[in-house]
Structure formats: C-alpha cells, structure tokens
Amino acid sequence: MKIAVWHNNKDIRIEDVPRPKPGPKEILVKIIACGICGSDIVEWYRLPRAPLVLGHEIGGEVVETGGSVKKYKPGDRVFVAPKVPCMKCSYCENDHYPACPNVKDRMPGGFAEFIIIPEALVQRGAYLLPDKISCDQSTFIEPLACVVRAQRLAGLQNNRTVLVMGCGMSGLIQIKLAKAKNCKIIASDINKKRLEFAASMGADILIDAAENIHDRLIAKNTKKADVVILATAALSAIEQAWKCVDKGGAIIFFAVPRPDEKVLIPINEFWTQEIRILTSYYCGPPDIAEAINLIESGTIIVDDMITHKLPLTKILEGFQLVMDADKSMKVIITPNE
Ligand SMILES: [Zn+2]
Ligand SMILES: [Zn+2]
C-alpha cells in the first residue's frame, strides 16, 4: 500500500510499504478521505516529529478486524479521533481533555491507503458514521469539534457579536458555527479572496486586515466585539485584537504565534474591563459528539467548503494549495482513488 511521508511542506514522499495486519484488538481502516488541516502546514509544530505520516481528519471504512473486536465489522464507515484522553485523570474530569497526560496511542496519519487503529482508539476514539454523513463530510468532524470547543470555552452565546480574525479554513468554520448561533459576524483577513470565502460562509461585515481593524469595526458596527477569535498567528492581528474586544468580552487564541515570538498583553486595561483571554487547543469527546450532531442534523453544512479532492500522489499539490491561502478552502486527499 502507499503512504505519504512528510519531511517538510516541500518534501512529501510517496512510499510503498506492506499493508499491516490488525492485532487481536485492532482494526484496519481503508482511508476514503483525509483533509489537509491548517495545522499540517505549520512547520514549527510538525517538524520535531518528522519524518512522519500526517493526516488526522479522516473518513474511512473498516476492512479487517482483530479476533476480539466485537464493536466493528468490515464495511462499517468510521471517523477516528487522532488520540483519546483517559477520562479518569483530574484534567479529564475538569473538561481539559487536550491536557490529559495519559495519551499513549495515536491514530497513524491518514495520508495512507490503510491505517491500523490501535486498541485505545478502537474502544473510545472511533465513531460509526451516521448514514447521513459521507466520508468527505467526516473530514470536518475533528476541525468542527475544535471550533465547538473554542466557542464553548469563550462562552459564545446566541445573538452576540463575533470578530473572526483570519479566514483560513479554521476561521471559516468558526464563522459557520457562530452563524448557526445567529451571531453577528465580522471577519478580517489581509487576503481579499479569503474575505470573499468568509462572506459566502455568512460573515456580515468584512474588514481588510491591512486597515485599522478597530476603526473599521466601530465605523461599521458601532460597538466592539463580544468575542474575538484569533484564527491567525499573525502578531499584527493579536495587537489589533486587544483593541477590538468589548468590556466583559473574551479573546480566544485558536492559533498561536511561534514559540519564540512574544506577545504583550495590555492586562492593566483589561483588569477593570473584565476581559478574558483564553486558549483553545484541539477538542474532547463531548466536542466530537457535538460536531457529529451538527453535521448530521444539517445545522452545519460542510459541502460548500470542499474546493479540492486529490489522490495521494498529488498530496504535494494539495499542501501547496493550502499554503497559497487564496486558492482553496478545504483540500481533501482521497488515498484510494
Ligand atoms: Zn486539524
Ligand atoms: Zn486524562
């Protein structure tokens, strides 16, 4: 079978390896679709583990099961989480699943024709896809779950005003979910095409991030935003974010700058205004369940975000499309086509 081994964004090698056999408690999944995530192209985040097979937004089909697996059978269509928290430690008990220190097994990267799902994930990280969710749509479960979590942590309620800074794929999903909550959405980005994408996803007001975002926000909306979502790691965006959040509001870091970049927080101003600064990383089992419901019920439509589907042999082109920012929204790799 073929796998795509990532060395860096310009060097992804298609290799032939033997198709693995599942152990007694494992299953073998054929990857039908695997999305390229914005985090896949962040080299400072990925390079320490390279070379590796990336891909954590999957939709697949069970083709073989280990002798003691009862939950799944060949032909079942599944989504599998990249990793599962233990659900027992104090972090898990307090809804900080992404901080669980007991994560051992990870899903092998989905940019491969087949993957072995390890025991812990077979037990607690795999989800049968409802009939209404296709494998292409399944690639949105994990990114949507991360967005569900971010908005939940920020306490984003219906009918609030939200500023989404950065309109790459994750920003667009933020817009979709906020729209489903009937929020007023202001989107900013330096890229005109991405602002067009944001408008088509439901953003009410568009702001060119090269301008003074605060001034444009006040001019177009008369007040600041209740929640500011940073879906970009640009330091210039962070600087502007501080000025755009209303009293009692929240700024949520959905993306962060490189580890060597420092961020200055105007904490003295925020103190009397009761402004919260939060981070949100990855997602937990309740967020995944919620994301599946949102897609299955049609509350969140994902099909209109898919702009490209490419075979595994064209994965380099797929990464380039994601890096180019204005040429694509969701790029999906279909390893078995
Ligand atoms: Zn992702
Ligand atoms: Zn835990």
Side-chain angles (χ1 to χ4, degrees):
M1 67 166 195
K2 288 190 169 43
I3 60 171
V5 182
W6 184 89
H7 291 254
N8 59 59
N9 287 339
K10 299 270 178 221
D11 182 6
I12 307 172
R13 301 173 199 172
I14 304 297
E15 291 179 12
D16 260 306
V17 297
R19 178 168 146 177
K21 286 288 288 180
K25 295 178 176 176
E26 298 172 337
I27 59 178
L28 182 73
V29 168
K30 179 179 177 182
I31 301 292
I32 307 298
C34 184
I36 302 178
C37 175
S39 72
D40 287 332
I41 62 165
V42 180
E43 289 189 330
W44 65 258
Y45 181 57
R46 299 294 180 191
L47 275 173
R49 288 200 292 136
L52 82 168
V53 179
L54 290 169
H56 57 267
E57 303 175 347
I58 72 157
E61 192 184 303
V62 177
V63 284
E64 208 180 325
T65 58
S68 29
V69 175
K70 300 273 175 284
K71 249 169 113 180
Y72 300 100
K73 58 180 190 312
D76 284 345
R77 295 178 322 114
V78 288
F79 163 76
V80 184
K83 54 191 177 185
V84 283
C86 74
M87 306 304 276
K88 290 178 190 145
C89 70
S90 64
Y91 300 103
C92 286
E93 280 175 356
N94 289 293
D95 187 18
H96 291 299
Y97 308 103
C100 174
N102 304 322
V103 174
K104 284 179 200 80
D105 296 319
R106 282 170 175 266
M107 180 181 76
F111 297 132
E113 285 183 85
F114 298 90
I115 57 172
I116 289 283
I117 308 301
E119 181 187 344
L121 296 182
V122 172
Q123 286 172 358
R124 291 178 288 116
Y127 299 76
L128 270 181
L129 285 178
D131 290 341
K132 280 186 179 164
I133 300 185
S134 68
C135 284
D136 285 352
Q137 292 165 339
S138 175
T139 66
F140 288 89
I141 292 172
E142 189 268 350
L144 178 57
C146 296
V147 167
V148 164
R149 179 174 183 80
Q151 295 195 5
R152 182 161 60 80
L153 295 181
L156 183 57
Q157 310 275 348
N158 288 353
N159 306 311
R160 307 312 299 272
T161 300
V162 189
L163 169 61
V164 177
M165 305 182 86
C167 300
M169 199 55 236
S170 68
L172 297 178
I173 300 177
Q174 293 280 5
I175 290 169
K176 282 248 180 190
L177 185 60
K179 195 72 196 170
K181 295 174 184 170
N182 203 27
C183 290
K184 183 169 186 182
I185 298 153
I186 300 109
S188 71
D189 200 291
I190 47 167
N191 189 300
K192 291 223 157 51
K193 185 75 193 171
R194 282 195 183 194
L195 284 177
E196 281 172 30
F197 290 152
S200 66
M201 297 301 119
D204 301 289
I205 297 172
L206 309 174
I207 299 178
D208 180 344
E211 298 182 52
N212 182 314
I213 298 179
H214 166 267
D215 290 355
R216 299 305 303 151
L217 175 64
I218 299 299
K220 292 182 173 187
N221 186 57
T222 69
K223 80 185 264 299
K224 297 186 185 189
D226 300 309
V227 172
V228 176
I229 297 168
L230 277 159
T232 166
L235 290 173
S236 55
I238 298 169
E239 289 275 308
Q240 302 234 41
W242 303 142
K243 302 189 183 84
C244 294
V245 65
D246 206 357
K247 294 174 197 171
I251 297 174
I252 188 142
F253 280 79
F254 195 60
V256 291
R258 300 169 54 94
D260 55 319
E261 289 177 315
K262 296 280 178 271
V263 171
L264 274 174
I265 303 173
I267 200 70
N268 189 281
E269 271 169 57
F270 286 1
W271 183 41
T272 53
Q273 300 180 9
E274 302 207 318
I275 287 163
R276 292 174 299 136
I277 302 165
L278 302 108
T279 55
S280 180
Y281 169 73
Y282 187 48
C283 58
D287 310 307
I288 291 173
E290 169 85 16
I292 291 173
N293 282 338
L294 287 166
I295 296 173
E296 186 185 14
S297 65
T299 309
I300 299 291
I301 307 281
V302 296
D303 294 351
D304 56 357
M305 291 185 274
I306 303 171
T307 52
H308 296 79
K309 286 177 72 173
L310 300 168
L312 195 63
T313 47
K314 291 197 173 161
I315 189 166
L316 206 51
E317 191 182 312
F319 269 65
Q320 193 58 49
L321 279 164
V322 176
M323 282 187 285
D324 288 346
D326 60 351
K327 294 198 175 65
S328 68
M329 284 193 261
K330 192 70 187 170
V331 180
I332 290 175
I333 301 296
T334 53
N336 280 282
E337 262 174 32

